[in-house]
Amino acid sequence: MSGLAVLCLVFLPYALGHYLSCLLRTVNAVLAPQLVSAAGLTPGDLGLLTSAYFFAFALAQLPVGIALDRYGPRLVQFLMLLLAALGTLAFAGSGDFVQMLCARTLMGLGLAGCFMAAVKAISTWISPARLPSVQGYLIAAGGLGAASSTLPVRLFLQHADWRWLFILLAAACVIVGFLILLLAPTPPATPRKPFNLGVLAEVYRHPAFRETAALVLVPHTVFFGIQGLWIGRWLTDVGRLPEHSVAWLLYLGMAAVIFGAIAVGMVTEWAAKRGADAITVAGVGVALFVVVQCGFVMSYRPSFALLAVLFTLVGTITGIEYTIVAQAMPPALTGRASTCLNLLIFTGAFIVQAGFGQIVGLWTPDAAQHYPAAAYQAAFLVLVLVQLPGIAWFVWRRRSPARKPVESLL
């Protein structure tokens, strides 16, 4: 296929699916006041409701990964997007917390394969040397979706109810599903491995998979769990910013994901030409990401706006683990490799997003229902502490003379 054909028939249709997935994943950060008002949600309820998306993602990873390897991304993604449309439409008609929770879970199930299907498709039609940049563009498409869930959604709410927003997004899921079905090519047949625990164990035992997950997995769960909800609540409760200012900062932060994702791909390829492997780039980036989170722990008020943007900009480095894993695995296992990684990421993101709300809820809000800065400082401190062992282990491995370079494992 020509480069133009790959762009129009492979990258763009699947990128649109990833765009919708990220939009619906993060939209609650802006809609939180409306959802709290509609269903009387506590911080714990809000965290559980939003994180149900990640829980559904985790549940779907194994069956979706198997289906991608067996039936290909084209058919699987079409059917999943129809399911996502049903869940999104159900969310629009929800009237209480339980209904919202069930609808968002169904929504997450339907969108669980968007990124994996895209990775499976582009890794089939694009050379391994170009994967870091192209996957960076894919993550940037997701960043565009996340950015669309902020200021544009805020502007939409000035003219229509939030329920109409979900009705339109349900229609978008159907349209993108048919675009993939009608435009995307069927990938060439590859040797199939039957599903069993040995196949999954083969993925988890792979040295590159273990080393990548040990360093990047927890920061990735923190990025997903906090970006999609709690940055906005932190700006409201601790920064005391009005809703329009929060929406604007969230928009800048999500827009930064686009530039960050593209930059990660370019830096990774640049570093590879100079002898530095992708895991080294990941190690430096993760360390910077933890430093940014320390700013939240210190709660230095003049830097609130900067911290909110830096969190999403620097946090995009965590997406590099998909590139490392995709390059490390044979084509017949790329779907299941992404599945294993996503299973860990989305399970962790569910724990982070729900757990963060439980920690904040330990404090008593003021009359305006704002939670104190100490609540958020404690929650961010817990996140920093759980990420430090991975960085320490990576540094120790780098200093160990017995360590094999990652590039020899790929």
Side-chain angles (χ1 to χ4, degrees), residues 355-388:
F356 196 96
Q358 295 297 327
I359 295 175
V360 171
L362 295 175
W363 275 258
T364 302
D366 60 19
Q369 294 301 304
H370 293 303
Y371 284 79
Y376 288 89
Q377 287 177 288
F380 275 110
L381 178 60
V382 171
L383 296 182
V384 168
L385 292 177
V386 298
Q387 292 170 86
L388 291 180

Side-chain angles (χ1 to χ4, degrees), residues 182-222:
L182 297 175
L183 296 181
T186 301
T190 56
R192 296 174 181 171
K193 291 195 176 185
F195 171 70
N196 54 56
L197 294 180
V199 174
L200 297 182
E202 180 182 346
V203 173
Y204 283 114
R205 285 198 305 265
H206 198 284
F209 185 94
R210 291 203 316 269
E211 182 167 15
T212 304
L215 173 65
V216 190
L217 176 63
V218 176
H220 205 158
T221 65
V222 170

